[in-house]
Amino acid sequence: MPRQADAAVLLTGITSVSKSPHDRVYLHEGADRLTNALWLWRAGRVRHILVSGARGLC
């Protein structure tokens, strides 16, 4: 079995914020990035998930 990694990097851009209603999360075709990162974490393959790539909303 491969040894455990410290972190997996999850690049953003997998959701759409321009759809309504705004109390839901709408996933783009790249959502497998999220599900794969969660699988690695739940399987104990990575200790942390580092989320990166979001636009600043300032």
Side-chain angles (χ1 to χ4, degrees):
M1 177 174 200
R3 74 173 222 252
Q4 186 182 44
D6 289 331
V9 177
L10 171 60
L11 300 176
T12 59
I14 59 174
T15 60
S16 176
V17 294
S18 61
K19 290 186 176 183
S20 289
H22 293 292
D23 64 343
R24 291 166 175 74
V25 175
Y26 295 95
L27 302 174
H28 287 296
E29 57 276 354
D32 58 340
R33 294 183 224 162
L34 172 63
T35 56
N36 287 337
L38 290 174
W39 181 88
L40 289 169
W41 179 72
R42 290 190 64 169
R45 300 280 181 97
V46 296
R47 290 186 184 106
H48 306 281
I49 298 174
L50 174 64
V51 180
S52 178
R55 268 190 302 191
L57 299 175
C58 299

